[in-house]
Amino acid sequence: QVQLVESGGGSVQAGESLRLSCKVSGHDRGRYCMGWFRQSPGKMREGVATGCPGLEKTYYGDDVVGRFAMSLDFASDTVYLQMNNMVPEDTAVYYCAATATGLRRWTLQLDDYTYWGQGTQVTVSS
């Protein structure tokens, strides 16, 4: 059974940084990809970052390019999202997600992800 457990959410001031973690268990190591998504009240869930364990490249949504960085610790099955220079518009519930076994491509499409974490609240005040 695949489980994703997030941690690291909280409240920060604009310009500050925060790091989210997502521990993956029960998945086929090296045979899936990961994504970070976020959802603000009244808005659709949007893709923030995507990467695949064992592959170097990561890709980002337009709103976070240059500020957010996704990293994947292949050995510990943990995915991180480092968020720098945060702005109030980054306020949202953040989710990590994993694709099904065998779907191994960088993607920010919600429908490509099968497994989801419980979400963690991030609040940025001005």
Side-chain angles (χ1 to χ4, degrees):
Q1 181 180 359
V2 178
Q3 289 188 317
L4 283 66
V5 179
E6 299 145 355
S7 60
S11 297
V12 296
Q13 298 286 324
E16 294 183 343
S17 300
L18 203 61
R19 190 176 81 156
L20 305 180
S21 301
C22 175
K23 173 67 176 175
V24 182
S25 61
H27 214 335
D28 294 319
R29 180 176 288 177
R31 298 185 63 199
Y32 62 91
C33 291
M34 295 293 298
W36 283 100
F37 294 80
R38 66 185 182 185
Q39 188 167 18
S40 304
K43 294 187 177 181
M44 295 183 63
R45 192 171 298 188
E46 63 174 354
V48 173
T50 178
C52 304
L55 300 181
E56 185 174 345
K57 289 185 178 181
T58 51
Y59 293 92
Y60 301 90
D62 291 341
D63 291 344
V64 306
V65 169
R67 300 189 299 119
F68 289 13
M70 180 178 181
S71 59
L72 303 96
D73 186 334
F74 190 80
S76 68
D77 292 321
T78 303
V79 181
Y80 302 96
L81 184 67
Q82 177 67 42
M83 303 182 290
N84 300 322
N85 193 23
M86 298 186 73
V87 298
E89 291 74 22
D90 294 326
T91 296
V93 177
Y94 283 72
Y95 300 88
C96 65
T99 62
T101 297
L103 182 55
R104 193 162 161 81
R105 64 171 179 260
W106 298 281
T107 173
L108 291 177
Q109 298 299 314
L110 274 71
D111 291 346
D112 286 337
Y113 290 88
T114 301
Y115 307 103
W116 292 83
Q118 78 282 5
T120 185
Q121 177 69 46
V122 172
T123 303
V124 185
S125 54
S126 58

